Amino acid sequence: MRAKRTVTVLSSDIRPALPNETIRFTHKNRKNMKPEYKPFVDALIELAIREDIGDGDHTSLCCIPATEKGRMRLLCKQEGILAGIEIAQLVLRRLDPDMQFEQILRDGDRTSRIDYRAGNTLRISSETPIAALYLYWYTPCEAFTVHTAAGDVPGGEYGFLHEYLALPEAVTELDIEFFGLSPLCEVRLFTTGAAPADVQVWQPPCEQADVLLFPSHADDDVIFFGALAAQCVDRGLAVQVAYLVNHYDWQPRPQELLDALWTMGIRNYPVIGPFPDYYVLSLEAAQQSFGEENVIAYQVGLLRRFKPLVAVGHDREGEYGHGAHRLNALALEQAVVYAADASYDVESAAQYGVWDTPKLYLHFADENPIILDVETPLESFGGKTAFEVASEAMLCHESQLQYAHRPTLASEEFPRYDCRRFGLVRSLVGADTGNDIMEHLS
């Protein structure tokens, strides 16, 4: 017998539905407290402390020396969504202004999920008709089907973490039938009309890419390649992003990755690499952890699959010396050669055919260097410059903002970060005479 979970959305729980309005039964909040609220929050904290502590806890004052130090752990017995961390910090600083506060988790971290398995069914009913669903997955889900009275809608085909599904017509009841492990974090329901602006309606990966970017990690896409990506999107080029590693064991980085790409105008879903996120401080450590031949074979498959006119990779020195960046760059130089050789990896050659990439650029390479113009307004982004787009996209990587890494121009502190500098290390169409990566290509 199939296990079934039912969620009922009552009209009394929501406001009258308008076109594009969201009907939610879960919620996330990533925004910080508005500055104008702080005086009222401070006053509320003061009142709470007076009421709760007063002239002190008498038992503690009698039994615990004033110089005693201890540790405290708050253990959560079930998964949930963290809330109130900013208020907690204000309370603790009110009690000890010199306190050091290290924040590891943020409000709205999507740690809550339900693991559906083959044979499970989720039923959703609502007095307000549902025209579309938006599903957030913890990790890529298996195939599933949305059953409605108006017809079935398949899902999970491409492993999108953020998946938007329009229904054949609006209904008040539907079933989601699962055919494999599907860790569901959140469901958003919509009435009729176009999807709201914050909904990511992803397209499958490119059939053929004009530009194929090879970042190692989530946030490398923005820091080193973000301005270039925005320029390419503004020109109407087909941009495909393929990461070396995945971050499925480090939530919410996979969600941040998608938010950042969407901000940069990329609409074709990225390829997420098969390798764990090893932190390696040297090229040798990266070669040992990832296996250089494994990385080359992975890149060859991508080059043959997407047949890019231009491939773009990391700095050979790893920007700040990161071993994975170095391996990714050095392997890519070999992969563009092997991808054209039918005797290398005959399986992918048979599946996709061979491909000789016309142009390969590496970040900060000395050969045939170009300096991108990242400060000209881009029409597709409402007049923002490519550098501004990349800087805005970096804000999506909230878990990484505690570090110094940002999209950067010329910098003494980070000399090899400059997001404008690339070098043409291999070309089938001749040297560049300007600063256009598509020069000599049609």
Side-chain angles (χ1 to χ4, degrees):
M1 184 166 181
R2 296 187 303 177
K4 182 169 291 190
R5 183 185 297 271
T6 300
V7 175
T8 301
V9 183
L10 300 176
S11 59
S12 59
D13 297 329
I14 60 175
R15 292 173 288 127
L18 300 172
N20 305 333
E21 185 175 17
T22 303
I23 308 169
R24 287 192 176 191
F25 53 86
T26 60
H27 179 68
K28 68 177 188 299
N29 179 20
R30 292 182 167 193
K31 296 181 179 179
N32 294 327
M33 179 173 60
K34 294 182 178 180
E36 58 265 31
Y37 292 172
K38 191 173 183 303
F40 301 100
V41 172
D42 289 340
L44 182 60
I45 290 172
E46 191 68 33
L47 289 172
I49 290 174
R50 289 180 187 175
E51 187 277 332
D52 187 54
I53 297 178
D55 58 356
D57 182 80
H58 293 185
T59 304
S60 299
L61 292 172
C62 292
C63 302
I64 302 175
T67 57
E68 184 71 18
K69 293 184 179 181
R71 283 188 165 188
M72 183 271 289
R73 295 177 68 192
L74 176 63
L75 299 177
C76 299
K77 296 183 179 180
Q78 63 185 41
E79 292 186 349
I81 297 180
L82 182 68
I85 193 71
E86 189 175 5
I87 302 298
Q89 183 174 357
L90 291 173
V91 172
L92 294 172
R93 290 201 185 282
R94 163 61 182 79
L95 297 172
D96 181 3
D98 297 325
M99 175 203 66
Q100 293 184 356
F101 188 95
E102 181 182 2
Q103 182 174 336
I104 298 174
L105 296 177
R106 299 166 294 109
D107 280 2
D109 275 345
R110 284 171 274 192
T111 61
S112 178
R113 70 181 188 274
I114 299 174
D115 289 335
Y116 291 97
R117 291 175 169 79
N120 292 162
T121 300
L122 169 63
R123 170 163 293 176
I124 300 174
S125 60
S126 168
E127 294 181 8
T128 304
I130 304 164
L133 298 86
Y134 191 35
L135 308 171
Y136 290 84
W137 305 101
Y138 192 78
T139 54
C141 67
E142 298 292 335
F144 63 90
T145 298
V146 180
H147 299 290
T148 77
D152 293 346
V153 179
E157 178 181 0
Y158 299 103
F160 295 168
L161 290 184
H162 301 171
E163 185 159 13
Y164 178 83
L165 295 173
L167 302 180
E169 62 183 57
V171 296
T172 57
E173 186 173 276
L174 59 87
D175 287 339
I176 305 178
E177 182 182 5
F178 299 93
F179 302 106
L181 180 61
S182 300
L184 182 62
C185 297
E186 180 174 322
V187 180
R188 294 173 63 183
L189 309 175
F190 300 100
T191 55
T192 55
D198 68 322
V199 171
Q200 300 168 8
V201 185
W202 286 101
Q203 302 302 311
C206 298
E207 289 290 332
Q208 183 168 354
D210 295 317
V211 179
L212 179 56
L213 303 177
F214 284 89
S216 296
H217 310 90
D219 78 0
D220 293 336
D221 47 4
V222 175
I223 297 170
F224 309 116
F225 308 113
L228 173 60
Q231 285 185 335
C232 293
V233 168
D234 188 63
R235 296 174 64 175
L237 300 175
V239 180
Q240 181 64 51
V241 182
Y243 296 87
L244 179 66
V245 309
N246 65 73
H247 301 285
Y248 295 132
D249 59 348
W250 188 354
Q251 300 288 343
R253 293 194 72 181
Q255 313 286 349
E256 295 172 346
L257 176 155
L258 294 178
D259 294 344
L261 291 182
W262 193 263
T263 300
M264 294 189 294
I266 293 172
R267 298 296 181 259
N268 293 100
Y269 201 79
V271 175
I272 307 299
F275 304 98
D277 182 12
Y278 301 114
Y279 187 75
V280 284
L281 297 176
S282 68
L283 174 61
E284 293 73 22
Q287 290 168 326
Q288 183 175 0
S289 298
F290 293 97
E292 186 169 350
E293 283 302 321
N294 296 333
V295 175
I296 293 172
Y298 169 63
Q299 293 172 333
V300 165
L302 293 170
L303 292 166
R304 288 171 171 172
R305 174 183 175 182
F306 295 114
K307 298 177 171 52
L309 298 177
V310 176
V312 186
H314 275 285
D315 173 15
R316 293 183 181 112
E317 299 302 316
E319 280 84 23
Y320 53 98
H322 198 301
H325 295 197
R326 296 186 65 191
L327 176 59
N328 203 358
L330 296 174
L332 185 56
E333 287 193 83
Q334 300 174 68
V336 292
V337 177
Y338 288 130
D341 182 354
S343 66
Y344 182 88
D345 190 2
V346 294
E347 188 173 327
S348 75
Q351 182 177 4
Y352 302 117
V354 298
W355 181 252
D356 203 357
T357 304
K359 299 178 82 172
L360 170 63
Y361 289 89
L362 295 182
H363 185 223
F364 242 86
D366 293 326
E367 301 94 317
N368 201 173
I370 64 172
I371 304 292
L372 301 177
D373 174 9
V374 301
E375 299 182 277
T376 296
L378 303 179
E379 183 177 353
S380 300
F381 295 94
K384 296 175 184 176
T385 68
F387 185 73
E388 289 171 338
V389 173
S391 298
E392 182 179 333
M394 187 63 207
L395 298 179
C396 297
H397 290 286
E398 295 182 45
S399 66
Q400 305 304 295
L401 295 180
Q402 60 185 305
Y403 306 110
H405 310 311
R406 296 286 193 282
T408 304
L409 303 179
S411 168
E412 293 183 3
E413 185 178 6
F414 303 108
R416 300 187 75 87
Y417 269 47
D418 194 330
C419 64
R420 302 169 299 175
R421 294 190 55 179
F422 292 87
L424 180 62
V425 301
R426 183 176 184 270
S427 176
L428 306 180
V429 294
D432 289 339
T433 60
N435 292 318
D436 180 7
I437 66 167
M438 300 303 291
E439 185 177 359
H440 306 310
L441 298 171
S442 58

